[in-house]
Amino acid sequence: MKLYDYGTAPNPRKVRIVLAEKGVDYELIQVDLPARAHKSPEFLKMNPSGKVPVLELDDGRFLSESIAICRYLEAVYPEPNLFGADPFEMGHIEMRNRQMETELWTQIGVSWIHGPIVAKMGIYKQIPEAKEVSDENVRNYYKRLDGEFTESEYVAGTRFTIADISLLTGIDFATGMVGLKPDESLENLWRWHALVSSRDSVDSMSK
């Protein structure tokens, strides 16, 4: 298998962590996003949306969208389980992962689009007011998570799952690229962050 990646992008990092958790061998191919290689005709044949990650299977087929790729990997390599071992756990992990995506990742995305790094690219109209609102939403969500981690060791219960991967990659991207590092006073959130960051599967190059 080949994984088309970009080093600081958070979505490919989700897939890298899942691949490492499952001990899968693969070839990593870096896509030059600043040079717009992901919008080239060759890349668009693999993913018409023009985004990373893309997983190329050994038979030449392609999958895109990070969670879709991770679900494929879960089906092919079921252990260690990351999406749920019984119907309730599957639903609970899905619920928590969707919360990370729709309530936190979306707001980080708005702050990224309307932030200084993207501004230099000149590809989007900047709306400072939108960033002010999303920045505040992210900080409020961090506080919510800090409260939730008083009662739960991991995002979806008592073990590491895809929901933890989504949250970790989101926070690390927000911290390193968007200027939205959680406040140091959020001790429970940072306790969780240290716990999951210590896993062998969690690479450091995108933190």
Side-chain angles (χ1 to χ4, degrees):
M1 292 188 296
K2 298 177 182 178
L3 178 65
Y4 294 82
D5 183 21
Y6 182 71
T8 58
N11 278 307
R13 188 179 178 215
K14 292 180 191 176
V15 180
R16 293 201 308 269
I17 294 173
V18 169
L19 285 163
E21 283 284 327
K22 296 179 178 296
V24 180
D25 291 328
Y26 65 100
E27 180 182 353
L28 189 65
I29 299 175
Q30 294 294 325
V31 179
D32 191 348
L33 299 194
R36 309 287 287 171
H38 57 306
K39 302 300 182 181
S40 68
E42 294 78 14
F43 191 88
L44 292 174
K45 289 179 182 178
M46 296 188 291
N47 180 10
S49 294
K51 299 185 295 184
V52 292
V54 172
L55 185 71
E56 181 178 354
L57 307 184
D58 292 339
D59 62 8
R61 291 180 295 174
F62 299 98
L63 287 172
S64 59
E65 300 299 332
S66 59
I67 295 300
I69 293 171
C70 292
R71 286 191 176 280
Y72 167 81
L73 294 170
E74 178 87 348
V76 177
Y77 308 98
E79 296 298 334
N81 177 280
L82 297 172
F83 281 85
D86 60 57
F88 176 81
E89 192 184 37
M90 289 177 185
H92 183 65
I93 292 170
E94 180 72 16
M95 175 190 76
R96 293 295 283 153
N97 191 62
R98 286 292 292 162
Q99 288 170 350
M100 299 306 110
E101 291 180 325
T102 61
E103 298 179 38
L104 180 62
W105 268 73
T106 56
Q107 297 304 300
I108 293 171
V110 173
S111 294
W112 164 250
I113 290 295
H114 298 290
I117 295 177
V118 174
K120 294 177 182 178
M121 301 176 188
I123 57 176
Y124 295 106
K125 179 181 178 180
Q126 300 290 293
I127 305 175
E129 294 81 4
K131 186 177 186 304
E132 291 175 9
V133 173
S134 57
D135 283 1
E136 186 64 19
N137 288 339
V138 170
R139 294 188 184 100
N140 287 337
Y141 202 81
Y142 287 162
K143 293 177 184 177
R144 169 181 158 179
L145 288 167
D146 188 66
E148 291 176 353
F149 282 128
T150 63
E151 299 180 356
S152 179
E153 187 176 14
Y154 293 94
V155 174
T158 60
R159 67 184 184 88
F160 183 79
T161 69
I162 190 65
D164 294 285
I165 296 172
S166 290
L167 179 56
L168 177 68
T169 53
I171 287 179
D172 285 350
F173 179 73
T175 297
M177 302 296 291
V178 192
L180 286 171
K181 180 180 180 180
D183 191 85
E184 296 295 340
S185 66
L186 302 178
E187 296 180 357
N188 298 310
L189 179 57
W190 282 113
R191 184 273 311 159
W192 165 86
H193 188 274
L195 175 66
V196 296
S197 295
S198 68
R199 298 180 71 87
D200 292 340
S201 62
V202 176
D203 58 74
S204 60
M205 68 179 181
S206 298
K207 292 181 185 177

